[in-house]
Amino acid sequence: MKYSIYIFILFAVAISSCKKYLEQVPDNRTQLDSPEKVAQLLGTAYPQASYITFAEAISDNVEDKGAGVVLNINLNPFYFEDVQDNNQDSPEFYWNACYTAIAASNQALATCLAAPDSQNYRTQKGEALVTRAFSHFMLVNFFSKFYDATTAGTDPGIPYVTEPEKVVFKNYDRKTVQYVYDMVEKDLTAGLPLLKDQAYTVPRYHFNLAAAHAFAARFYLFKKDYDKVIEHANAAFPNNNFADNMRAWNTTYQTLSFFTLLATYTKASEPANLLLTEMPSNYARNYATFRYGLSYAKQRDILGANVTGGRWAYSVFYYGAQDYFVPKFNEYFVTTSINANTGIPYIMQPELTTEEVLLSRAEAYIYKNNTAAATADLNTFVSKRITNYSPSQHNITSTKLSNFYGTSNLQTGLLLATLDFRRAEYVMEGLRWFDLQRYKIPVEHLFYDGSTKTLSPTDPYRVFQIPESATLSGIALNPR
C-alpha cells in the first residue's frame, strides 16, 4: 500500500523550525560546491530534538509524586496515552526533527554523488549515510513495533527516505520494520568505512569512528546479532581501554560541585561522550521537578542496593521530599536578539557513550555464553561506579549473582546485572525504555492515591503515535 509523507524541510510554510534550517543552508545545490560546505550542511543532519522526556515518563523509572510540574509531554506517557503536544520534547517534535535531519543527510549525499571530484567527498558521503541511518533507526524504534525477527517482516515501519524532497507531497511506502532495519544496516555499513576523525574540528559533535561503531553496536544489539555487537564494540575501543574513557563517577566526579558536574556531564571534552547533539529542550529546567518522575522510592530501587554489595557513586540530589535527580543536564538559553529577554532553551544530549558500548558488549558475551568475558566487562563498569571501589570486595562473582538475584543460572544472573547497570547508568536519560521494549517487560505505574496502571508487552500504546500532521499527507496512524 502506498502512503505519502510530508518531509518538513524544503517549505517554510510547513513548520517553524524549517525557517532556521533554510536560513543556515538554503536548498540550493549550486552553493554546495565544496566538501567544506557539505560538511557544514551535515551539522544539521542530527536530530535536533530530545526524546528523553516522553521516553523516561513511559518507563518504569518514574512514579506519581503527587505534585510538581505537569505538562502533557510528561503526563500523557505516564498515563500510557498519546501525547497531546507538538512542541519541543514531544514525540511529534522528535519525528519532525528526525525527518529534517534526514533531509539534510539526503541533500548532502546527493551533492557528494553529483560532484565531479566525488572522491574528495568520501568522508562527507560517509557521514551522510550514517546520519541517515541513525535518524531512521531512532524513528522506527519509537513509532513502530519494536524489532522482533518473527514479526518484523509484517509490522508496519516508517518511511525510509533516500532522496531530497522536491515537492510538498510525495508518495512513500511505509513498508515494514524489517525493511527499515535492512536499510539502516545498508547505509551504516556503507558509510562507516568512509569516516575519518581528522575531518572534524570537534569530533564529538559528529559521527567520529568511535561513535559510529557505538551506533553499530546498539543497532546489532537490538537486532540480536551478537557477533556484530562484539565486533563493533571492539572497533570502537581497539585498545580495550573502556575504563580510561568512562565517566569517573567514583573519583573525579565525586569532587565536583553541583554546577561543575552539570557543566561536565555533557562536555565534548568528557571522553565518555562519543556523540553529542545540541537541541532545543526544556528538559534541563523540568526533569527534577516533573510530577511523574524519579521519587524517593524509585531512586532507592534504581540506585540503592546492588549486586556488588557496594554503594553506587552517582551523585543524587533532591528538592523537598520527593524530587530526586542525578545532575546531568545544563540549560543553555539563547535569546532571540541581543537585547531580548525571550529566547529558546537548549541542552547538549549525549546520544552515544562509552558505557553503553561496554554494557552492550557484556550483553552480547552473555548470549554467546562467554560468561568470563561478560563478567570482566561488568567488573570494568563496577570499577568506575562503586564508592571506594575494591576489586576483592566489589567485583561480581557467580555467588554474588546467585544470592542477589535468586538464580543458579549464571547467564541469567549476568543478564539481570547488565540490565540493572544500564538502568542505573542512564536514569533520567530515556534509554531504559529501549530495554523494556527489547525484553517486552510490563510497565506498572504507581499513582499517588495508591492505584496502579500497567502497560502490557502487547499494549498498542507501547508504540508512540505517528503525528497527526503526518496523517494530512496520508500516513496511517498506529492502531489504538
Side-chain angles (χ1 to χ4, degrees):
M1 183 176 181
K2 290 287 182 181
Y3 298 88
S4 62
I5 182 172
Y6 189 4
I7 305 302
F8 306 83
I9 186 166
L10 300 183
F11 302 93
V13 297
I15 190 169
S16 60
S17 63
C18 181
K19 183 173 182 290
K20 180 181 177 183
Y21 172 80
L22 289 173
E23 288 173 346
Q24 291 181 3
V25 186
D27 181 32
N28 186 336
R29 290 190 195 178
T30 61
Q31 294 188 13
L32 298 175
D33 55 5
S34 70
E36 291 75 21
K37 290 181 180 179
V38 175
Q40 182 182 4
L41 171 60
L42 284 167
T44 66
Y46 298 81
Q48 295 178 356
S50 176
Y51 55 81
I52 298 177
T53 300
F54 59 86
E56 195 72 5
I58 200 174
S59 79
D60 59 358
N61 283 350
V62 299
E63 70 178 20
D64 182 1
K65 296 183 288 185
V69 175
V70 178
L71 299 172
N72 285 340
I73 52 175
N74 172 248
L75 180 149
N76 293 145
F78 183 82
Y79 277 80
F80 309 134
E81 301 169 343
D82 292 334
V83 177
Q84 303 301 307
D85 196 317
N86 62 2
N87 294 309
Q88 59 195 39
D89 299 317
S90 70
E92 182 167 351
F93 193 87
Y94 189 73
W95 167 281
N96 292 340
C98 283
Y99 276 116
T100 299
I102 289 164
S105 299
N106 283 333
Q107 186 66 72
L109 185 59
T111 303
C112 294
L113 296 176
D117 55 342
S118 59
Q119 187 66 21
N120 293 331
Y121 291 75
R122 281 174 52 85
T123 302
Q124 289 74 28
K125 177 184 176 182
E127 186 176 6
L129 287 167
V130 176
T131 53
R132 184 169 75 181
F134 182 75
S135 292
H136 283 107
F137 178 68
M138 297 302 291
L139 281 168
V140 77
N141 289 320
F142 281 122
F143 296 98
S144 295
K145 287 185 179 179
F146 208 79
Y147 182 84
D148 182 332
T150 63
T151 62
T154 55
D155 292 335
I158 48 92
Y160 204 99
V161 184
T162 58
E163 59 184 23
E165 284 281 16
K166 297 186 176 73
V167 295
V168 177
F169 294 95
K170 182 176 179 180
N171 290 329
Y172 284 88
D173 190 343
R174 189 174 172 181
K175 296 189 178 178
T176 65
V177 171
Q178 185 64 60
Y179 175 81
V180 176
Y181 263 65
D182 290 345
M183 291 297 291
V184 168
E185 186 170 19
K186 179 181 177 182
D187 279 350
L188 177 58
T189 55
L192 201 157
L194 305 179
L195 299 175
K196 290 184 179 179
D197 289 354
Q198 297 87 341
Y200 309 123
T201 304
V202 185
R204 307 294 171 145
Y205 296 155
H206 298 268
F207 265 116
N208 55 79
L209 284 168
H213 284 295
F215 167 33
R218 179 191 288 183
F219 170 78
Y220 286 112
L221 186 72
F222 288 10
K223 194 180 177 185
K224 300 184 179 180
D225 187 340
Y226 299 116
D227 287 328
K228 288 287 188 180
V229 175
I230 296 166
E231 174 189 332
H232 285 285
N234 291 341
F237 293 93
N239 297 320
N240 201 37
N241 56 339
F242 285 91
D244 295 335
N245 289 280
M246 292 173 61
R247 300 185 197 281
W249 272 108
N250 60 359
T251 53
T252 306
Y253 273 36
Q254 293 283 292
T255 68
L256 301 180
S257 67
F258 174 78
F259 291 107
T260 304
L261 179 56
L262 277 181
T264 301
Y265 196 86
T266 56
K267 274 188 174 180
S269 57
E270 166 55 68
N273 292 326
L274 303 182
L275 177 65
L276 288 163
T277 304
E278 177 192 69
M279 56 195 61
S281 173
N282 286 311
Y283 189 64
R285 64 176 62 174
N286 291 328
Y287 74 107
T289 54
F290 273 132
R291 172 169 174 168
Y292 308 101
L294 189 70
S295 63
Y296 173 78
K298 278 295 180 181
Q299 67 89 19
R300 291 281 296 173
D301 179 38
I302 300 167
L303 300 174
N306 62 81
V307 68
T308 72
R311 182 170 62 86
W312 289 121
Y314 301 108
S315 298
V316 180
F317 289 75
Y318 61 92
Y319 298 125
Q322 286 293 335
D323 294 329
Y324 285 77
F325 66 103
V326 179
K328 294 183 174 183
F329 295 95
N330 204 12
E331 181 177 299
Y332 304 91
F333 192 79
V334 180
T335 57
T336 53
S337 66
I338 294 176
N339 298 317
N341 293 321
T342 60
I344 301 174
Y346 283 80
I347 64 169
M348 296 299 299
Q349 181 170 312
E351 297 280 8
L352 296 160
T353 64
T354 301
E355 290 81 0
E356 182 184 358
V357 181
L358 177 65
L359 294 174
S360 293
R361 189 174 74 171
E363 189 171 339
Y365 279 141
I366 293 167
Y367 281 100
K368 298 299 294 182
N369 200 25
N370 189 344
T371 56
T375 302
D377 278 353
L378 294 182
N379 282 329
T380 296
F381 181 81
V382 167
S383 72
K384 298 295 182 179
R385 291 297 179 272
I386 297 300
T387 302
N388 299 320
Y389 166 74
S390 165
S392 61
Q393 184 178 353
H394 298 123
N395 276 1
I396 62 174
T397 63
S398 59
T399 300
K400 283 186 176 181
L401 291 165
S402 177
N403 291 340
F404 190 80
Y405 292 110
T407 177
S408 59
N409 186 302
L410 180 57
Q411 285 178 282
T412 299
L414 287 168
L415 180 59
L416 291 172
T418 302
L419 293 176
D420 279 351
F421 290 0
R422 287 171 62 94
R423 189 182 187 191
E425 179 68 18
Y426 293 108
V427 66
M428 313 195 92
E429 294 189 51
L431 294 185
R432 173 65 174 174
W433 178 240
F434 293 142
D435 290 344
L436 296 171
Q437 289 287 72
R438 289 193 299 126
Y439 286 97
K440 300 181 180 180
I441 300 171
V443 181
E444 182 179 87
H445 280 172
L446 175 65
F447 294 91
Y448 197 66
D449 63 4
S451 64
T452 61
K453 188 174 183 178
T454 300
L455 188 69
S456 73
T458 58
D459 195 303
Y461 283 90
R462 290 182 83 104
V463 181
F464 284 94
Q465 187 57 277
I466 287 175
E468 193 72 30
S469 56
T471 67
L472 298 176
S473 300
I475 296 294
L477 293 174
N478 288 318
R480 288 293 183 255

